[in-house]
Amino acid sequence: LQSVGTGTATLSWTGTAASYQVAYGTTPTLADMDTLTVTGNTATLTGLAHTTTHYAYVRSLCNDEQSAWSTVLSFRTACGPIALPYSYGFEDATASGSNGAINECWHKGSNTPNSYNYPYPYSYYSHDGYYAMYMVAEASYYSYLVLPQFDNPVNRTQLTFWGRAAGNSYASTVEIGVVTNPSDITTFQPYETFTIPNTGVLQWHCD
């Protein structure tokens, strides 16, 4: 696999055949795959669904003969814009605690000087289901979550979330805003600030 994007992937291999056939699809079953014939040792696949696991095989062609198919290659396309409406409750988290992972299209991070990997999925305080996201901030430290990119202009999007403070000793202010680079929190531009009480899980709206 040479490179992969939201809807494309470039495959490369070694060999001296005049041409090759590539089979690819979202299941590893050859009969269900699309095929592409190329000359040379690379093939660029286009029109792929984003955030999806794909499979590919390659075989060489020589006159009226062909080799056996290669072993299967699997790869996953990158995250792309998500259609609205969208709802996510962290229920696909791999575990509760600092080792838990969430959906690949979300970004998260913190500048807290410890190894707890804030924010992380937590099996307490959830509104509905098993998990919530546990975020910590104090003094000059913060943690953050970045939602996936949507296919709707941000100024025409409404955000609804549920939250509560874990206790009186924890920060209870949440800032909602936008980022121009989800991997760089310094691009964050605040839009609205909410004060979250510890009197129960409440619903909040940001228009």
Side-chain angles (χ1 to χ4, degrees):
L1 181 65
Q2 196 172 83
S3 64
V4 62
T6 57
T8 63
T10 299
L11 314 181
S12 62
W13 56 89
T14 58
T16 58
S19 60
Y20 294 86
Q21 187 176 40
V22 179
Y24 61 98
T26 54
T27 72
T29 305
L30 279 163
D32 298 330
M33 291 182 162
D34 295 321
T35 58
L36 173 69
T37 300
V38 297
T39 57
N41 299 95
T42 62
T44 297
L45 312 179
T46 61
L48 306 179
H50 67 77
T51 329
T52 302
T53 299
H54 293 76
Y55 303 87
Y57 299 87
V58 178
R59 68 180 177 182
S60 60
L61 304 177
C62 183
N63 297 324
D64 295 330
E65 298 181 350
Q66 61 274 327
S67 69
W69 288 105
S70 67
T71 56
V72 65
L73 168 72
S74 66
F75 60 91
R76 189 165 178 83
T77 46
C79 296
I82 294 176
L84 297 180
Y86 171 77
S87 177
Y88 181 62
F90 307 106
E91 292 305 297
D92 60 353
T94 58
S96 176
S98 60
N99 293 324
I102 59 173
N103 184 280
E104 65 195 291
C105 296
W106 286 62
H107 290 73
K108 68 186 187 74
S110 173
N111 71 340
T112 52
N114 56 48
S115 59
Y116 288 113
N117 196 27
Y118 296 119
Y120 55 70
Y122 197 48
S123 57
Y124 294 94
Y125 307 124
S126 64
H127 158 63
D128 186 22
Y130 189 68
Y131 288 113
M133 283 300 287
Y134 189 65
M135 306 180 72
V136 170
E138 57 181 323
S140 61
Y141 301 122
Y142 57 82
S143 54
Y144 62 86
L145 280 169
V146 182
L147 280 71
Q149 180 184 1
F150 299 125
D151 65 353
N152 200 56
V154 68
N155 60 355
R156 294 170 52 193
T157 301
Q158 181 187 71
L159 173 68
T160 300
F161 66 97
W162 296 81
R164 64 158 292 173
N168 290 328
S169 61
Y170 294 97
S172 57
T173 298
V174 173
E175 281 190 313
I176 304 298
V178 296
V179 291
T180 54
N181 180 353
S183 299
D184 183 1
I185 195 58
T186 64
T187 66
F188 176 77
Q189 302 172 34
Y191 176 75
E192 191 167 351
T193 300
F194 295 87
T195 300
I196 310 296
N198 67 340
T199 54
V201 181
L202 301 177
Q203 188 178 41
W204 307 86
H205 299 279
C206 183
D207 297 317

